[in-house]
Amino acid sequence: MTETTGTAETGEPPARRPRIFADLTPLRSSPDYRRLWFGNTVSWIGQGMTALAVSLQVYDITGSAFSVGLIGFCSLVPLVVFGLYGGAVADTVDRRKLGLFSAAGSFSLAVVLMAATFAGVENVGLLYAVVALQAVCFALNAPARSSMVARLLPPEQLPAANALSSMTSTTGALVGPMLGGLIVGWWGYRAAYTVDAVCFTASLYAMWRLPSMLPDRQESGARKRASVLDGLRFLGTRPNLRMTFFTDLCAMVLAHPRALFPVVAILWYGGDARTTGLLVAAPAFGALLGGVFSGWLGRIRRHGLAVLLAVGSWGAAITVFGLTRHLWLGLLFLALAGCADTVSMVFRNTMLQAAVPDEMRGRLQGVFIVVVAGGPRLGDFLAGSVADLTSPAVAVVGGGIACVVAVCLLALKWRGFARYDARDPQP
């Protein structure tokens, strides 16, 4: 918490001590946001459990790594297709109802998985179908949920809220699979799917308690249906908002070495699957620490400059990771990259919430989902291709350098982005 020191003798206002840990003001000031954050955190953990359980079950049924890989494809396509559509829907209807119905859909799918395991049904096609439908529900839910935050909190609390949201997703990515592995190992798939279904009730309850959230519409008369193309046209004329996506693509496409971790673990460190697990966990752990120690982010006003520095730091950390051959040093720089990614995400999200008119927030959040879902997949493909043509070291180091160079070129091309001021948000 931020503390003050009294200066009664001089009559000066009390000085504020720098905040270190995450700012919890949004949780204290808004009961609606508090319920929404708690529900999302619990449901993210449940989703992480189910994601691992589905992967294990598909492998148990098929014995094929390729079949497991198809799970990612089944989720990617609906996320990309329905991400844009979900944003347009969120700008047309009551966002609270859209969030409630899509959360109910995710809950129903968790119940389907639970019922199938209790009935002894082992069908890979059913698992693929559920994964795809879960991605559709997420693509509809996420733009509505993200658009709500700017309506629940004042602008000055948005960086703190986005830092808390980063902790939600990172905790789900770390804790969910660990719990899923333990529960599947001890009690089987039916227990994991049952716990996931129970976890989703927290998200349903949070959505149920929210007030109605119709988007602010500027058109007179009857509500006009929001158009995806209108959202893309709006983005095309707003350089600061475009830069939030361009900078993220620099990091996720050019310098995303995740696909090379199994190879790197063996060739660089002489390790095994456990080493690969450490490499995968390190960026997530760094991202979580970035959220925990995010209290200082609320004092930053130059959000565009902060994004540029954070993405450049990601690229630099990945470059050093590619140059070192000491495992713990490599893990340290991967964690630093994850921390930088949290900082970038907090300010990019804040800009999308503060500088976008309410009637466009859903569609811009839909574009955000497409970039977040598609960017890392393109990065995996690029890293793997370059590594096959050259070497893993060239792919990792070259990708990190390319990220830094690309960010510098973008900053020179659109210089106004570095001058973006949170006190006067301009899209």
Side-chain angles (χ1 to χ4, degrees):
M1 295 178 59
T2 300
E3 298 179 1
T4 59
T5 55
T7 55
E9 294 84 355
T10 62
E12 297 177 358
R16 295 172 65 86
R17 292 183 183 176
R19 189 187 299 272
I20 298 176
F21 294 104
D23 185 357
L24 304 182
T25 302
L27 298 178
R28 291 194 295 265
S29 64
S30 172
D32 287 327
Y33 176 77
R34 183 168 60 247
R35 284 190 292 267
L36 189 64
W37 181 84
F38 178 77
N40 289 339
T41 301
V42 174
S43 63
W44 267 94
I45 293 174
Q47 291 174 69
M49 292 171 49
T50 292
L52 180 70
V54 168
S55 298
L56 293 174
Q57 191 173 12
V58 168
Y59 188 76
D60 280 348
I61 295 172
T62 65
S64 167
F66 176 76
S67 297
V68 177
L70 284 178
I71 297 173
F73 179 78
C74 290
S75 63
L76 175 62
V77 173
L79 281 175
V80 172
V81 173
F82 285 90
L84 293 175
Y85 176 74
V89 174
D91 284 339
T92 303
V93 303
D94 185 342
R95 290 164 179 163
R96 179 249 183 190
K97 290 183 179 179
L98 178 61
L100 182 61
F101 290 151
S102 54
S106 295
F107 169 76
S108 301
L109 291 167
V111 172
V112 168
L113 288 175
M114 179 185 69
T117 53
F118 273 99
V121 176
E122 293 188 348
N123 187 291
V124 174
L126 174 64
L127 295 175
Y128 287 157
V130 169
V131 167
L133 291 174
Q134 284 177 331
V136 172
C137 291
F138 178 82
L140 295 173
N141 184 273
R145 188 178 64 241
S146 299
S147 303
M148 293 174 184
V149 175
R151 297 275 289 271
L152 297 174
L153 298 170
E156 64 271 14
Q157 292 184 20
L158 292 179
N162 287 315
L164 292 170
S165 296
S166 75
M167 294 171 61
T168 291
S169 57
T170 308
T171 300
L174 283 173
V175 176
M178 288 191 296
L179 286 178
L182 291 174
I183 292 175
V184 170
W186 288 340
W187 298 297
Y189 297 114
R190 64 181 64 179
Y193 297 142
T194 301
V195 172
D196 184 26
V198 173
C199 287
F200 259 112
T201 60
S203 181
L204 282 171
Y205 175 74
M207 289 289 180
W208 180 265
R209 291 291 304 274
L210 288 174
S212 175
M213 287 199 185
L214 285 167
D216 292 335
R217 308 294 297 178
Q218 299 299 322
E219 299 90 344
S220 59
R223 276 209 319 267
K224 178 182 176 183
R225 179 170 295 278
S227 166
V228 173
L229 291 179
D230 286 343
L232 295 177
R233 291 190 194 101
F234 174 83
L235 181 61
T237 59
R238 304 302 192 273
N240 286 335
L241 298 180
R242 287 202 310 273
M243 278 287 286
T244 64
F245 297 112
F246 289 161
T247 53
D248 187 49
L249 288 172
C250 286
M252 294 297 102
V253 176
L254 299 176
H256 195 255
R258 179 183 60 187
L260 303 180
F261 285 163
V263 178
V264 164
I266 297 172
L267 294 183
W268 294 2
Y269 306 119
D272 51 18
R274 288 172 293 183
T275 308
T276 303
L278 290 174
L279 294 174
V280 172
F285 182 72
L288 180 60
L289 289 181
V292 171
F293 296 99
S294 61
W296 59 279
L297 298 181
R299 302 195 300 274
I300 305 299
R301 296 289 180 264
R302 299 280 293 278
H303 289 182
L305 180 61
V307 170
L308 293 171
L309 293 174
V311 176
S313 298
W314 165 280
I318 295 299
T319 300
V320 178
F321 164 71
L323 294 172
T324 184
R325 295 300 179 267
H326 298 284
L327 177 60
W328 294 109
L329 191 59
L331 294 175
L332 172 63
F333 279 97
L334 285 177
L336 290 174
C339 184
D341 186 49
T342 290
V343 174
S344 169
M345 186 280 296
V346 166
F347 290 121
R348 285 185 291 109
N349 250 345
T350 300
M351 293 172 72
L352 287 175
Q353 291 163 341
V356 176
D358 185 70
E359 64 174 13
M360 285 286 180
R361 282 186 184 134
R363 278 166 283 187
L364 270 293
Q365 288 296 332
V367 176
F368 179 79
I369 290 174
V370 172
V371 171
V372 169
R377 272 74 174 186
L378 290 175
D380 290 342
F381 175 77
L382 180 62
S385 300
V386 174
D388 279 345
L389 294 173
T390 55
S391 70
V394 171
V396 176
V397 175
I401 294 174
C403 173
V404 175
V405 171
V407 167
C408 291
L409 292 176
L410 287 172
L412 291 174
K413 174 68 174 176
W414 287 285
R415 303 190 180 208
F417 185 69
R419 297 191 294 271
Y420 178 95
D421 194 321
R423 291 165 294 191
D424 182 27
Q426 298 296 323

